[in-house]
Amino acid sequence: REALILKALLNHPWLVEDNCELLAALPFTSKSGERLRDALLDLQAGEVPLDSEGLRAQLTQLGLDRIIAQIEQSSSHRGDRFAEPGSDRALVEAGWMHAVRLHESQVGLRRALDAAEKAWLAEPNEDTLARITEIKRLLLQPVDAGDGSEATPSR
């Protein structure tokens, strides 16, 4: 999911400008994802308007070409076409926001589960067990796509 979010940003740089605060707060589980996100935000802060090609050139100068290649080679599903070049702006925005919401939900819930499991190991009790059970239930719930449809969380 992180690669999909970043792929959309690389192919649609306007997403960075339109969502810089959201992007800055977005938790990444991979260090390479964090590095690329931070570089995208730094370039955007420089207020140099960049198209997708110009953005890639700037990122390559920063030594991030290997990360870009990994992201571009990441597989995508039919529903992930919003991240591809030439996609309709409304489709891109809706698809990207859905991917971000799903990612935030899953990363946040997994962190909460880790904390609850540590609390259980430190002091097993009914409240902690109930919290673990609730978080696991939430992890299995579909996430609202914002358009009336739902997507099942990926594992």
Side-chain angles (χ1 to χ4, degrees):
R1 191 175 314 113
E2 289 178 4
L4 179 64
I5 289 167
L6 291 166
K7 185 176 187 176
L9 294 169
L10 289 170
N11 289 326
H12 308 283
W14 55 266
L15 281 169
V16 178
E17 183 177 348
D18 290 359
N19 300 284
C20 60
E21 289 180 21
L22 175 62
L23 183 57
L26 191 63
F28 279 84
T29 58
S30 75
K31 294 294 180 197
S32 59
E34 282 182 354
R35 283 185 58 213
L36 184 56
R37 185 256 333 259
D38 293 347
L40 288 167
L41 290 168
D42 287 346
L43 289 172
Q44 193 278 324
E47 298 182 14
V48 176
L50 296 171
D51 59 10
S52 184
E53 221 173 276
L55 180 63
R56 280 178 170 74
Q58 291 286 326
L59 293 168
T60 296
Q61 287 179 357
L62 295 173
L64 299 172
D65 46 324
R66 195 180 65 142
I67 296 170
I68 294 169
Q70 290 172 337
I71 288 170
E72 288 176 342
Q73 293 171 0
S74 66
S75 64
S76 88
H77 301 72
R78 201 179 79 179
D80 298 341
R81 296 291 178 228
F82 71 89
E84 299 299 325
S87 295
D88 175 70
R89 187 178 179 109
L91 175 68
V92 170
E93 190 162 22
W96 189 79
M97 288 303 296
H98 172 65
V100 166
R101 280 195 301 273
L102 183 61
H103 180 70
E104 287 175 326
S105 169
Q106 292 298 296
V107 170
L109 286 172
R110 292 200 186 285
R111 288 180 178 167
L113 180 60
D114 287 346
E117 287 174 340
K118 286 177 184 172
W120 170 260
L121 291 174
E123 186 178 332
N125 61 56
E126 286 183 33
D127 290 339
T128 306
L129 182 59
R131 180 71 180 136
I132 291 170
T133 303
E134 175 64 11
I135 294 169
K136 286 183 176 182
R137 183 188 67 75
L138 291 171
L139 280 167
L140 294 174
Q141 264 186 347
V143 175
D144 181 3
D147 61 0
S149 64
E150 293 181 340
T152 304
S154 60
R155 296 175 208 259

